[in-house]
Amino acid sequence: MNRDQSNPNVKKSKDENDQTLTNRQGHPVTNNQNMRTVGNRGPATLENYDFLEKISHFDRERVPERVVHARGAGAHGYFEAYGKVGDEHPSKYTRAKLFQEKGKRTPLFVRFSTVTHGTHSPETLRDPRGFAVKFYTEDGNWDLVGNNLKIFFIRDAIKFPDLIHAFKPDPVTNVQDGQRIFDFISSTPEAMHMITFLFSPWGIPANYRQMQGSGVNTYRWVNAEGEAVLVKYHWEPKQGIKNLTQKDAEELQGKNFNHATQDLYEHIEKGEYPEWELLVQIMSDDEHPELDFDPLDDTKLWPEDQFPWLTVGKMVLDRNPEDYFTEVEQAAFGTGVLVDGMDFSDDKMLLGRTFSYSDTQRYRVGANYLQLPINAPKKRVATNQRGGQMQYKVDLGENQNPHVNYEPSTTDGLKEAKQSGKEHTPFASGHVVRESIDRPNNFGQAGDTYRHLEEWEREELITNLVNTLAPCDERIKSKMIEMCHQCDEDYGKRLEEGLRMASDGNNSTQEPIGAEGAAGAVKEAEEKGHSEDPY
């Protein structure tokens, strides 16, 4: 192992010590919390080297398994538009063609997944679930990439590798460790809203059919006049919503750790096609000073009473994959895959995800991943892109001169498309800075969520937090208790009491989050093992 940092001959700048964080170029990292943005709420700039080096290395940490969302299940189906957004015609808000006509169907593919663990990890573990939908529209693909929970842990993409590293197994022991997780979370107060959901029963959906979905990030919709609104997407299952307690999940895991994949496949095979309704929330595209949070902050929910959920259409899954690897494993999604009538907001997580997702796919599947049938749009493709790993065709236009793979050209090369609607031209002004947003309000909505939980859900939340926090460093426990108090006094009081009463036997941090007693299984396996003679 390279331990150059302990070598006294290694040079340091006068502002460095042995614990100073640097990038791979040796540059001291002075701000590891925020990307550079125009003003503290964005839009984000892409010249920030620290972020690019960090995220592009993170995208390449695993070969060939996905770094996140490795365990997945998928199905084909269609989206059927209602021809309205609430009571309004969609054209008021967006010119995206798939929404405009009542009854119009767009084929799609969905991949559900767990986030943290590997390709064959149990589907009963406490973890957010991915909910990624690829719409094969007449204007090309639209990927709506999100999770079952409607918020996220962090609000700036530069922190994403740190978040995932904390939740992934320890790099030395290769075992998930609650102390590492809460060491990070206790210093990341914006994560308290997500932690409140994750450690409640909402952290273990009963299956994929009976869970919600969300785009998580904020996007823009653009109409024919180039006018834009902010939009958030929500999937609501018509099968209802069901979650598991920690105890129920552990019992289920002992019988079947593929239950969610099997459940989805078998229901579709029986013709019991799962359905979700797509709803949106719409907000004018400005800073909304009347709110006590920034509407672009993905750790927050938009209040439904102020920004109602408006129905847009429904999704039906009616066909299973013919081959798991070809379709589910090689399916590749990206938050930057939008069609005309959609645009990016200045959400600082969204820019980072947009770079990271597609960059990961080119690394994991290959530069020509969009030529695979599961990822290819169901329309003509004509590009000037050539070569790369596993290219098996050239995307030539019907009358394109094969000698011309550049643009512009007067000798039968490809030509730019005409703009069908007015370009949306958002105004950006401000100093380019690396700062947190002005209205973080890290604890307000976490407290609201805690108070909205039913009593049994609050009890489950506290039990699961105590199980993971009890063996942690006292400094970490103190910080978590204080943050829970800031969310809600009862929240903090019950966590503090729970930790005080925690079992003396709960002394290992190396257990699945929310679980207690899993560390004892190591010794138990030896004790219960039956001795055999060699053969």
Side-chain angles (χ1 to χ4, degrees):
M1 182 180 292
N2 185 347
R3 291 287 187 181
D4 283 349
Q5 62 265 35
S6 62
N7 186 336
N9 296 319
V10 172
K11 294 181 180 178
K12 303 186 186 75
S13 71
K14 62 182 178 64
D15 297 322
E16 288 183 74
N17 59 40
D18 288 340
Q19 292 185 306
T20 299
L21 178 67
T22 76
N23 62 26
R24 280 284 172 86
Q25 301 284 10
H27 307 155
V29 176
T30 59
N31 189 329
N32 192 43
Q33 314 307 314
N34 302 285
M35 294 191 298
R36 297 187 72 197
T37 54
V38 180
N40 62 34
R41 67 191 302 271
T45 63
L46 200 55
E47 83 278 3
N48 181 356
Y49 180 86
D50 288 347
F51 168 69
L52 291 178
E53 182 191 270
K54 183 178 181 180
I55 199 71
S56 59
H57 181 277
F58 174 73
D59 293 343
R60 292 161 172 79
E61 283 188 359
R62 300 289 188 273
V63 182
E65 180 180 290
R66 288 170 169 87
V67 178
V68 289
H69 300 280
R71 174 75 197 249
H76 298 269
Y78 61 86
F79 174 76
E80 184 174 310
Y82 292 163
K84 287 187 175 182
V85 176
D87 295 327
E88 303 279 356
H89 193 270
S91 60
K92 176 179 178 180
Y93 303 110
T94 177
R95 58 180 184 253
K97 295 185 179 69
L98 78 162
F99 298 129
Q100 304 301 322
E101 302 171 22
K102 181 179 179 180
K104 181 171 184 173
R105 291 188 175 185
T106 301
L108 55 76
F109 181 80
V110 177
R111 187 177 187 272
F112 302 112
S113 57
T114 57
V115 174
T116 305
H117 304 279
T119 52
H120 232 65
S121 54
E123 293 180 305
T124 46
L125 295 176
R126 187 170 303 281
D127 207 9
R129 267 54 173 178
F131 197 123
V133 186
K134 186 180 295 293
F135 300 79
Y136 303 100
T137 86
E138 63 195 272
D139 279 339
N141 290 350
W142 169 36
D143 288 355
L144 179 53
V145 187
N147 290 329
N148 66 313
L149 301 173
K150 299 177 183 296
I151 54 172
F152 202 55
F153 297 89
I154 52 174
R155 61 172 70 99
D156 193 302
I158 200 170
K159 297 303 299 176
F160 190 67
D162 299 303
L163 167 71
I164 300 302
H165 282 174
F167 275 77
K168 284 280 191 181
D170 183 304
V172 177
T173 66
N174 200 36
V175 177
Q176 190 180 43
D177 193 317
Q179 176 153 298
R180 300 177 70 250
I181 292 169
F182 279 107
D183 189 26
F184 176 80
I185 294 299
S186 63
S187 297
T188 310
E190 69 210 62
M192 282 305 298
H193 196 189
M194 185 65 158
I195 287 295
T196 302
F197 274 111
L198 183 62
F199 279 78
S200 79
W202 292 85
I204 312 180
N207 53 56
Y208 295 132
R209 291 180 305 107
Q210 294 175 300
M211 71 179 193
Q212 295 170 298
S214 170
V216 179
N217 293 110
T218 302
Y219 288 87
R220 285 187 177 109
W221 269 0
V222 182
N223 65 17
E225 286 70 48
E227 301 163 339
V229 291
L230 299 178
V231 62
K232 274 187 177 285
Y233 298 100
H234 304 280
W235 292 108
E236 291 299 305
K238 291 193 172 184
Q239 299 74 236
I241 302 168
K242 288 191 175 182
N243 299 316
L244 296 172
T245 65
Q246 181 71 34
K247 182 176 182 293
D248 290 340
E250 289 174 6
E251 291 177 356
L252 180 62
Q253 181 174 320
K255 299 174 182 177
N256 187 343
F257 65 93
N258 305 297
H259 78 283
T261 295
Q262 185 174 341
D263 174 89
L264 179 67
Y265 184 91
E266 290 181 350
H267 275 82
I268 293 174
E269 283 297 290
K270 290 187 293 187
E272 297 173 3
Y273 303 141
E275 298 185 17
W276 285 259
E277 197 160 49
L278 180 62
L279 304 98
V280 296
Q281 288 178 286
I282 290 175
M283 183 186 294
S284 60
D285 189 6
D286 52 73
E287 295 187 14
H288 288 272
E290 77 281 3
L291 299 175
D292 63 1
F293 65 94
D294 192 309
L296 301 184
D297 181 354
D298 65 359
T299 69
K300 303 294 189 292
L301 298 168
W302 290 0
E304 191 177 347
D305 58 343
Q306 295 174 255
F307 308 98
W309 290 18
L310 307 174
T311 55
V312 176
K314 70 175 181 178
M315 172 174 68
V316 180
L317 301 183
D318 61 1
R319 181 165 60 90
N320 281 313
E322 295 181 8
D323 180 77
Y324 180 87
F325 182 84
T326 304
E327 296 163 76
V328 182
E329 184 59 25
Q330 293 195 130
F333 300 84
T335 56
V337 184
L338 308 179
V339 293
D340 186 48
M342 303 175 184
D343 207 342
F344 305 96
S345 76
D346 298 333
D347 180 338
K348 292 201 279 187
M349 270 299 295
L350 180 57
L351 177 129
R353 291 181 76 202
T354 294
F355 173 82
S356 180
Y357 274 59
S358 295
D359 183 50
T360 300
Q361 310 302 0
R362 294 183 186 99
Y363 163 66
R364 188 181 67 85
V365 186
N368 291 294
Y369 75 97
L370 290 171
Q371 289 188 340
L372 293 172
I374 192 64
N375 297 319
K378 298 184 185 300
K379 63 177 294 292
R380 69 176 289 277
V381 174
T383 80
N384 286 324
Q385 296 175 22
R386 299 290 186 271
Q389 180 185 16
M390 297 298 289
Q391 175 182 286
Y392 65 94
K393 65 176 181 177
V394 178
D395 297 320
L396 289 171
E398 185 176 354
N399 297 310
Q400 182 180 355
N401 183 341
H403 298 281
V404 179
N405 62 343
Y406 50 86
E407 189 280 328
S409 166
T410 56
T411 56
D412 298 324
L414 298 173
K415 304 292 190 294
E416 294 174 323
K418 292 182 179 179
Q419 180 73 35
S420 61
K422 289 185 179 178
E423 187 87 15
H424 176 57
T425 56
F427 178 77
S429 176
H431 294 287
V432 175
V433 298
R434 286 183 291 194
E435 295 179 358
S436 298
I437 59 175
D438 291 331
R439 287 174 286 168
N441 196 356
N442 293 319
F443 307 111
Q445 287 199 8
D448 290 340
T449 294
Y450 174 80
R451 289 184 289 275
H452 278 95
L453 294 175
E454 296 181 24
E455 177 58 24
W456 74 272
E457 292 177 305
R458 287 195 288 267
E459 290 177 358
E460 180 78 3
L461 165 65
I462 298 301
T463 297
N464 296 332
L465 284 171
V466 169
N467 286 347
T468 303
L469 274 168
C472 291
D473 186 293
E474 291 296 329
R475 294 168 295 179
I476 294 172
K477 288 192 279 190
S478 295
K479 290 170 74 173
M480 287 303 301
I481 290 169
E482 174 57 29
M483 290 202 298
C484 286
H485 273 295
Q486 292 190 64
C487 296
D488 182 275
E489 279 300 320
D490 182 65
Y491 195 175
K493 179 181 177 182
R494 289 169 74 161
L495 178 62
E496 189 171 10
E497 178 68 17
L499 289 170
R500 186 163 54 247
M501 302 294 291
S503 166
D504 292 338
N506 188 352
N507 53 20
S508 174
T509 62
Q510 295 181 326
E511 298 183 333
I513 57 175
E516 181 186 16
V522 177
K523 183 66 173 175
E524 188 177 346
E526 179 183 3
E527 293 172 348
K528 290 187 175 181
H530 296 275
S531 297
E532 305 285 358
D533 294 328
Y535 65 90

